[in-house]
Amino acid sequence: MPYTADEQRYDEMKYARSGKSGIRLPQIALGLWQNFGGNRTLDIQEEMILRSFDLGINHFDLANNYGPPPGSAEENFGVLFKKHLRPYRDELLISTKAGYYMWKGPYGEWGSRKNLIASLDQSLGRMGLEYVDIFYHHRPDPNTPLEETMAALDHIVRQGKALYVGLSNYDAEQTREAVAILRNLGTPCLVHQPNYSMLNRWIEDGLQDVLDEQGVGSIAFCPLGRGQLTNKYVDKIKEERANPTGNMRTEAYTDERIAKFEALQAVAERREQTISQLALNWILRDNRVTSALIGASRVSQIEENVAALKAPGLTTEELNEIEGILNGIGNYAW
Ligand SMILES: NC(=O)c1ccc[n+]([C@@H]2O[C@H](COP(=O)([O-])OP(=O)(O)OC[C@H]3O[C@@H](n4cnc5c(N)ncnc54)[C@H](OP(=O)(O)O)[C@@H]3O)[C@@H](O)[C@H]2O)c1
């Protein structure tokens, strides 16, 4: 069946400006890190990507190494793009990244000009695209001068292979320096992609301030703590407590931690929500974070997560209560 996008696709989704740029990002975006590789059938991927677009998720986030195996998420996305999404290219924001290991020898990872330019060419080939909307440096490289990496990003934009550039996993100081270099080159940094959730709040210790001050947007990855901030996970830790399988670290299912997740679930239920919806509202609570970059293994999860945007904002009382619950909750995703 040829796909025709839903006429109402922009009615419910909310879009927020990425820093001081001209680009608005959907407040929920879809990442293809896991569940879109060679290990999943294409029909499930197709269903998730098309349903996402119908719900107003026009931003799909990839990287050279997403799979498994590395590269397969870009290949699969390329197949689906060609089959269904090519007519909608100008509505889509497609991102990819380079920085993690992709090929043998000294140029297959990190942040040299050689790595970035070759990797993006490979990504464009796998996806069958002429350009990506955002090209990220995926992680800081301690051994390559920042000037070289940023000049490579600038060059890529001037070549027309990316419209915007972004940084991922850079700390506050690295970000401040990189953003200044990019600005001087005439290619401002559009967005930073950090790990951020109720369970991982490192960006609150300086990075988010730098982004606000520099007018750079932020898109939070792993906003559900890789699946921990979901109702399903509460059941999982309770089951593990009752019948330990040894597959989970014992700290993850102590009585105290289970009580905290139940308390989070109670807050969500009072708002007629699930934990994942509450976690997404919390990320977007003060408009400092531009977008939450979710992962999903099925359509129903995407629908549930996008529905979070219909909920009222969190009250000061709710935020204070959540703050108390999160104190000492622990993160066992990595
Ligand atoms: N820049 C970087 O270094 C970096 C690193 C990591 C990720 N990322 C980006 O961030 C994206 C998201 O990462 P993530 O997958 O870890 O994000 P996440 O949103 O924290 O976790 C996604 C997982 O949570 C579960 N889930 C999602 N919605 C659910 C719901 N409503 N109910 C129950 N379970 C639900 C699913 O687990 P099941 O699969 O078990 O169903 C899903 O795979 C990636 O795809 C990638 O684009 C970037």
Side-chain angles (χ1 to χ4, degrees), residues 14-282:
K14 293 184 180 153
Y15 299 85
R17 191 163 300 279
S18 187
K20 295 206 172 79
S21 75
I23 281 291
R24 287 189 301 145
L25 298 176
Q27 288 209 298
I28 306 278
L30 183 69
L32 278 68
W33 175 32
Q34 288 168 326
N35 301 316
F36 292 88
N39 56 339
R40 295 294 302 281
T41 60
L42 210 56
D43 53 336
I44 302 174
Q45 304 186 27
E46 182 171 36
E47 227 190 309
M48 287 197 282
I49 285 173
L50 299 183
R51 183 69 182 129
S52 294
F53 189 50
D54 282 341
L55 289 169
I57 297 182
N58 62 335
H59 178 28
F60 297 103
D61 180 71
L62 294 105
N64 53 0
N65 61 339
Y66 289 179
S72 60
E74 287 183 332
E75 276 165 13
N76 288 335
F77 183 77
V79 169
L80 298 172
F81 173 79
K82 188 172 168 199
K83 188 170 168 196
H84 299 297
L85 293 174
R86 196 179 288 284
Y88 304 99
R89 178 67 185 96
D90 295 340
E91 294 181 39
L92 295 173
L93 270 183
I94 302 167
S95 56
T96 195
K97 319 183 187 78
Y100 282 101
Y101 178 84
M102 272 307 276
W103 66 91
K104 284 197 177 92
Y107 317 123
E109 61 183 324
W110 293 110
S112 66
R113 176 183 178 87
K114 172 83 173 163
N115 173 259
L116 263 59
I117 291 174
S119 181
L120 178 56
D121 283 344
Q122 292 176 19
S123 291
L124 292 173
R126 283 190 288 267
M127 291 189 280
L129 297 175
E130 286 164 19
Y131 69 95
V132 289
D133 297 277
I134 310 170
F135 184 58
Y136 285 94
H137 189 219
H138 209 159
R139 58 169 168 171
D141 176 355
N143 297 311
T144 297
L146 203 50
E147 288 75 8
E148 175 174 338
T149 308
M150 296 307 117
L153 293 178
D154 170 65
H155 177 77
I156 280 164
V157 169
R158 287 174 199 280
Q159 279 184 310
K161 291 180 180 172
L163 300 185
Y164 298 91
V165 297
L167 303 169
S168 186
N169 300 307
Y170 277 53
D171 70 22
E173 273 323 299
Q174 292 161 335
T175 300
R176 191 193 297 280
E177 240 188 286
V179 165
I181 298 170
L182 285 171
R183 185 175 297 123
N184 285 339
L185 289 167
T187 297
C189 179
L190 177 77
V191 67
H192 190 299
Q193 190 178 121
N195 191 334
Y196 183 54
S197 71
M198 283 177 167
L199 305 182
N200 182 345
R201 301 176 64 169
W202 75 278
I203 71 170
E204 295 172 13
D205 296 331
L207 176 64
Q208 190 58 54
D209 291 335
V210 171
L211 298 176
D212 290 350
E213 165 200 307
Q214 300 292 325
V216 175
S218 57
I219 176 163
F221 77 73
C222 301
L224 304 177
R226 298 192 61 191
Q228 290 173 93
L229 292 161
T230 60
N231 286 10
K232 182 174 77 177
Y233 182 75
V234 185
D235 295 340
K236 208 161 130 185
I237 52 180
K238 284 201 240 171
E239 276 163 31
E240 193 69 26
R241 180 83 180 138
N243 294 303
T245 61
N247 294 332
M248 213 183 259
R249 284 171 57 174
T250 49
E251 303 94 302
Y253 56 87
T254 59
D255 287 342
E256 197 194 354
R257 190 161 189 262
I258 290 171
K260 283 185 177 292
F261 275 90
E262 285 177 333
L264 222 43
Q265 196 164 33
V267 178
E269 276 168 10
R270 281 207 307 272
R271 291 169 50 84
E272 299 180 3
Q273 290 191 306
T274 60
I275 295 183
S276 73
Q277 292 173 327
L278 180 72
L280 293 168
N281 288 154
W282 182 88

